[in-house]
Amino acid sequence: LVLMLWQIIFSILISTAVVKVYSQAGWKMTDRFYGFRYEIILIDQSHASEISETIQSQADQLGCFGWVQQKSASNISSLVGEVRCSKSRGQSFEQWMKTELSGAQSTEILVYSDTKIRLHFSHFKILEPSRETCFLDSPHQCPDIKEKNSQSKGGKTRSDEENNRAGMFHDASARNDL
């Protein structure tokens, strides 16, 4: 009985110590990683492949993973995707996209508070333009949802954080290519 009591006390002490270690700064996922989604409107769509390769090269150089995809709609060509890196490298990547990436007319970035990107690959991947990918909110919002939101004006929609937590990501081919 005394031995069982000591085992229970010991297991409680160990589990408490483990919880304290993982709750300390530096151990949480948000302390170590940085993830974001982006949409880059291109000045000239003829350079989309070259810019995609530049993004992929930068990701590889920084040790990041994620994806980039060329999209075109209504005479607007864009590159969309997600990136996840170590915290410092992810912030550097975001800054590079905003200030140094040539060929961009505008860049919209949404940093994920939970750092988790929705499509995971073992490396940074260039996706086929025909693959259906989009989100409930911008950047890279699904066209049908964008249209509904503009028609409803003032209707309540979920915040991006709520959509991200719920895994609200549309990709018809996600299971085939991971």
Side-chain angles (χ1 to χ4, degrees), residues 2-178:
V2 173
L3 181 61
M4 285 177 47
L5 185 58
W6 277 110
Q7 288 175 335
I8 292 170
I9 291 170
F10 183 71
S11 66
I12 291 171
L13 290 174
I14 292 296
S15 63
T16 303
V18 168
V19 168
K20 284 182 182 178
V21 167
Y22 283 110
S23 65
Q24 291 175 354
W27 281 91
K28 294 184 287 188
M29 180 174 46
T30 54
D31 293 334
R32 296 179 292 140
F33 298 105
Y34 194 82
F36 62 91
R37 174 169 83 226
Y38 62 90
E39 183 167 15
I40 302 165
I41 306 300
L42 300 174
I43 295 169
D44 180 4
Q45 76 177 39
S46 66
H47 298 291
S49 293
E50 179 183 323
I51 296 169
S52 293
E53 290 171 5
T54 300
I55 292 170
Q56 182 183 45
S57 176
Q58 182 73 4
D60 291 345
Q61 192 173 12
L62 293 173
C64 303
F65 60 94
W67 55 279
V68 62
Q69 179 182 41
Q70 182 181 351
K71 288 291 181 182
S72 296
S74 305
N75 295 330
I76 297 174
S77 184
S78 64
L79 295 174
V80 298
E82 295 180 295
V83 176
R84 189 170 192 221
C85 316
S86 69
K87 188 154 193 142
S88 62
R89 290 182 178 189
Q91 291 168 336
S92 296
F93 199 129
E94 177 187 10
Q95 191 61 31
W96 174 83
M97 270 191 164
K98 288 179 177 177
T99 60
E100 296 179 41
L101 182 62
S102 61
Q105 179 178 326
S106 66
T107 302
E108 183 180 0
I109 292 178
L110 172 72
V111 177
Y112 293 136
S113 61
D114 66 2
T115 79
K116 296 178 184 177
I117 64 174
R118 305 310 171 250
L119 276 180
H120 293 268
F121 301 100
S122 59
H123 59 288
F124 197 90
K125 186 169 178 117
I126 297 175
L127 299 181
E128 291 295 320
S130 60
R131 184 172 180 166
E132 286 188 47
T133 61
C134 63
F135 296 84
L136 294 180
D137 288 314
S138 65
H140 190 36
Q141 186 176 31
C142 299
D144 56 331
I145 294 171
K146 190 181 287 188
E147 185 178 313
K148 283 180 190 175
N149 286 346
S150 66
Q151 289 174 355
S152 68
K153 292 190 182 182
K156 185 172 180 180
T157 60
R158 288 207 244 189
S159 71
D160 189 65
E161 184 63 26
E162 291 169 322
N163 289 334
N164 288 336
R165 287 192 194 288
M168 297 301 189
F169 170 72
H170 178 265
D171 179 8
S173 57
R175 295 286 175 217
N176 300 333
D177 196 25
L178 295 179

